[in-house]
């Protein structure tokens, strides 16, 4: 599985989890329109679900940040390897070039 397909899978997974949070937010806002008797009874449960939503959002943001750092480290390693390969290629003895120039037989 390539890095690109892994990224696509990850973003689809995050998007699906965000879609699951939307009904919880909609249910939370609809409880505010109820009358005051049921609103007081549902206040504790809505406070609990609101805290859960905040916790899930924080965990989601932390996982996205961690994944971004991971991808940045991979990009840095690939860039460093490419620079090292170019440097080695620059300083290696190219016998074909020496033969073409007549420096060596």
């Amino acid at each position: 599985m390539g890095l690109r397909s892994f990224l696509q899978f990850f973003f689809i997974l995050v998007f699906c989890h965000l879609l699951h949070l939307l009904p919880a937010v909609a249910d939370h806002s609809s409880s505010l329109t109820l009358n005051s008797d049921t609103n007081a009874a549902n206040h504790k449960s809505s406070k609990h679900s609101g805290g859960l939503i905040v916790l899930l959002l924080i965990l989601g943001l932390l996982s996205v940040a961690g994944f971004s750092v991971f991808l940045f480290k991979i990009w840095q390693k690939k860039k460093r390897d490419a620079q090292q390969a170019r440097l080695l290629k620059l300083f290696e003895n190219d016998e074909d070039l020496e033969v073409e120039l007549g420096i060596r037989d």
Side-chain angles (χ1 to χ4, degrees), residues 94-105:
D94 193 3
E95 294 178 10
D96 294 334
L97 183 61
E98 291 175 355
V99 171
E100 279 185 30
L101 294 174
I103 298 172
R104 205 174 102 181
D105 291 329

Side-chain angles (χ1 to χ4, degrees), residues 9-89:
F9 172 75
F10 178 75
F11 286 122
I12 289 172
L13 186 67
V14 169
F15 184 71
C16 289
H17 283 292
L18 289 175
L19 286 178
H20 285 291
L21 291 176
L22 288 178
V25 173
D27 291 340
H28 177 69
S29 64
S30 67
S31 68
L32 297 176
T33 59
L34 299 174
N35 62 23
S36 62
D37 294 334
T38 56
N39 195 12
N42 288 333
H43 184 66
K44 287 184 181 180
S45 65
S46 67
K47 186 184 274 187
H48 177 69
S49 66
L52 182 63
I53 290 171
V54 169
L55 178 67
L56 289 175
L57 287 174
I58 289 172
L59 287 176
L61 289 174
L62 286 176
S63 65
V64 168
F67 188 68
S68 298
V69 168
F70 174 72
L71 288 178
F72 179 71
K73 294 290 184 183
I74 289 175
W75 174 75
Q76 276 185 330
K77 185 178 187 303
K78 285 185 177 183
K79 185 178 174 184
R80 187 171 48 247
D81 290 344
Q83 287 177 348
Q84 185 178 11
R86 281 191 298 157
L87 185 66
L88 288 175
K89 186 176 180 182

